Amino acid sequence: YDLWIIGGYSDLTAQLLILLCRIFRIPYVVMFDGISPNKIEAKENKIKFAWKKFLVKGCFAFLGNGTVGKLYAKKLGIPDEKIYNQYLTVDINHFLNLLDEKDKIRSKIRQNLGIAENGLVLLYVGRLIELKGIQDLIKVYSEIKEKYNDIYLVIVGFGVYEEELKKMSKDVKGIFFVGHIDYPKIHEYYFSSNILVLPTYDDPWGLVVNEAMACGLPVLTTTAAGANLDLVKDNGYVFKPKDTKALIDIIKKYIDNPNLLSEHSRNSLKIIKDFSFENSKKEIERIITKLRRK
């Protein structure tokens, strides 16, 4: 082959392939989509980090996950001209094409759950594990619920922390654990909600952010989610992990200013259009074009 695109360097197979490419002087691309923002400034094991640097040093291109991938590439010593954005995303057109049905689906799901038509619905989608910070979201919701009755929390997903989360929620009204939802129907829960909250402690990206934005939701997430650097601008807010006070203040902004919710919803739809499979394809085409010119 004239070019190898290799999925990272963590697996032994990938490492061997990189070594072979270097030995036979075959151009290779490191496709890299697994780094948390927490790793950018963190100290790493010197031997492991030196090995990483060696593996990527000879790459023809580094295809990273947005800004967080670029920052880590620079930490590894890769020059700017070798760094490309893979536009880590989902099939946003799948969600955008369903927007015409949003109001109808929203009413159906809210009716099924017993949620008021005009209520403010916070949504979490993902694995139910402690690292995702869902316990903080439940704590925040519990405090807000004491003052604002017309607010709800919908939690989509399953995991080892599920029973513990349910125990935390048992005395709080308006929390719905809906379990696993098959992907062809996941849009129904985005459409029925007002705001996505991803209170993660450590997340290489957070593709639920892409999905929510393609459904027109504002996004609240932490500095530990890789997606925050590219996707959360004037369509939501970013806060530090475990900072429940900040999250409470942010949610109150939406409660006190309904126009802000509408504005951020529109902005999400605008921003997410850049993070598409089409732009991902264009980056790969740029790499191939560069190779052909050599």
Side-chain angles (χ1 to χ4, degrees), residues 23-57:
I23 291 168
F24 292 104
R25 297 185 179 180
I26 300 171
Y28 65 96
V29 177
V30 175
M31 187 168 68
F32 185 82
D33 58 11
I35 194 70
S36 162
N38 296 340
K39 288 283 184 71
I40 304 301
E41 301 295 334
K43 291 183 179 180
E44 300 187 46
N45 179 285
K46 290 183 179 180
I47 296 174
K48 286 184 178 180
F49 189 68
W51 179 239
K52 288 181 188 178
K53 290 182 73 173
F54 171 78
L55 291 170
V56 302
K57 184 178 179 181

Side-chain angles (χ1 to χ4, degrees), residues 126-169:
R127 291 178 296 153
L128 304 188
I129 58 174
E130 192 170 0
L131 197 64
K132 293 289 186 179
I134 317 156
Q135 61 275 14
D136 297 336
L137 177 55
I138 291 172
K139 178 183 176 183
V140 164
Y141 173 80
S142 302
E143 290 189 31
I144 294 175
K145 186 69 173 177
E146 292 178 1
K147 295 182 180 179
Y148 301 92
N149 185 55
D150 215 12
I151 187 170
Y152 305 86
L153 173 59
V154 174
I155 297 173
V156 176
F158 66 97
V160 295
Y161 203 42
E162 185 172 352
E163 292 307 313
E164 186 64 30
L165 293 171
K166 286 180 177 178
K167 287 179 185 177
M168 296 176 195
S169 311

